[in-house]
């Protein structure tokens, strides 16, 4: 395997979990989220592998966001409506545990787990309620650790817009979650 292919493999391994969490929160279905991440990775490899390495991260997340947006457009044209009440249920109408969304982020201390179990559910609900652009800005900046410039490139907007969306998301999350994080 050549150096470029190895770099791409490492990069995709780095962003895989973050991309899955982002897609799962956006489409609220684990299988669809996995498909979107895989499609994004294939697009990245087949079309953009030759781009400079420092452009990969924002480019990949822009591809993922476009795939998510396309998914929602297709779902809307088929008459599928997503609601908050089905956000954490699977096809058998069983509750999906938040641990499955946060794979790889185990908390070892039982007292920490008890304290966070309800908070994590509320955080997922609050994130799902955010407008799409605010949710994108929050996830890119807080979860993925992208800079304002990288987030702006991924969202195809200005840095000022990223700051506005992020600020509004943080303010709204603080309001909704104030009982859980004091």
């Amino acid at each position: 395997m050549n150096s470029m292919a190895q770099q791409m493999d490492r990069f995709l391994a780095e962003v895989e979990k973050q991309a899955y969490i982002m897609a799962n929160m956006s489409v609220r279905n684990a299988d669809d989220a996995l498909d979107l991440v895989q499609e994004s990775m294939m697009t990245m490899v087949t079309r953009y592998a030759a781009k400079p390495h420092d452009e990969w991260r924002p480019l990949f997340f822009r591809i993922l966001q476009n795939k998510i947006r396309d998914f929602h457009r297709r779902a809307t044209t088929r008459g599928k409506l997503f609601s908050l009440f089905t956000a954490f249920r699977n096809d058998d109408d069983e509750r999906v545990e938040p641990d499955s969304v946060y794979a790889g982020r185990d908390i070892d201390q039982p007292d920490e787990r008890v304290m966070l179990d309800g908070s994590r559910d509320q955080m997922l609900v609050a994130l799902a309620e955010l407008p799409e652009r605010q949710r994108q800005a929050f996830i890119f900046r807080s979860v993925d650790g992208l800079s304002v410039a990288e987030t702006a490139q991924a969202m195809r907007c200005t840095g000022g817009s990223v700051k506005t969306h992020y600020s509004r998301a943080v303010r709204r999350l603080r309001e909704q979650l104030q009982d859980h994080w004091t």
Side-chain angles (χ1 to χ4, degrees), residues 142-159:
S142 297
V143 177
D144 297 336
L146 267 61
S147 69
V148 172
E150 290 171 329
T151 301
Q153 186 178 1
M155 291 177 64
R156 293 188 179 180
C157 64
T158 66

Side-chain angles (χ1 to χ4, degrees), residues 16-165:
E16 182 178 22
K17 283 183 184 178
Q18 295 169 340
Y20 175 75
I21 290 169
M22 182 182 298
N24 197 22
M25 286 176 25
S26 295
V27 301
R28 300 178 181 140
N29 181 292
D31 292 332
D32 290 336
L34 187 57
D35 288 344
L36 291 169
V37 170
Q38 289 174 343
E39 289 174 21
S40 298
M41 288 180 170
M42 288 300 296
T43 300
M44 185 71 189
V45 169
T46 58
R47 295 188 184 167
Y48 302 106
K51 291 276 188 184
H53 185 266
D54 61 335
E55 293 180 18
W56 285 356
R57 189 173 187 83
L59 183 57
F60 173 77
F61 284 108
R62 183 176 10 164
I63 293 166
L64 178 62
Q65 284 305 315
N66 289 340
K67 298 275 185 201
I68 291 169
R69 202 170 293 119
D70 290 345
F71 173 88
H72 284 298
R73 283 187 193 127
R74 285 191 308 271
T76 300
T77 60
R78 283 183 254 139
K80 291 183 180 178
L81 299 175
F82 295 102
S83 73
L84 180 60
F85 301 108
T86 60
F88 303 109
R89 303 215 175 265
N90 64 18
D91 294 339
D92 299 326
D93 202 33
E94 295 175 5
R95 184 166 165 63
V96 175
E97 292 302 318
D99 287 343
S100 65
V101 176
Y102 283 93
R105 294 186 181 197
D106 292 333
I107 297 171
D108 294 330
Q109 302 301 320
D111 57 333
E112 289 178 10
R113 173 159 300 283
V114 169
M115 184 181 76
L116 290 177
D117 278 344
S119 300
R120 203 176 330 177
D121 284 343
Q122 291 303 315
M123 180 66 158
L124 290 173
V125 170
L127 280 170
E129 290 176 345
L130 287 176
E132 181 182 356
R133 299 294 277 176
Q134 289 179 17
R135 184 174 52 246
Q136 287 175 344
F138 182 81
I139 291 171
F140 281 144
R141 298 282 293 130
S142 297
V143 177
D144 297 336
L146 267 61
S147 69
V148 172
E150 290 171 329
T151 301
Q153 186 178 1
M155 291 177 64
R156 293 188 179 180
C157 64
T158 66
S161 292
V162 167
K163 291 176 185 179
T164 300
H165 290 307

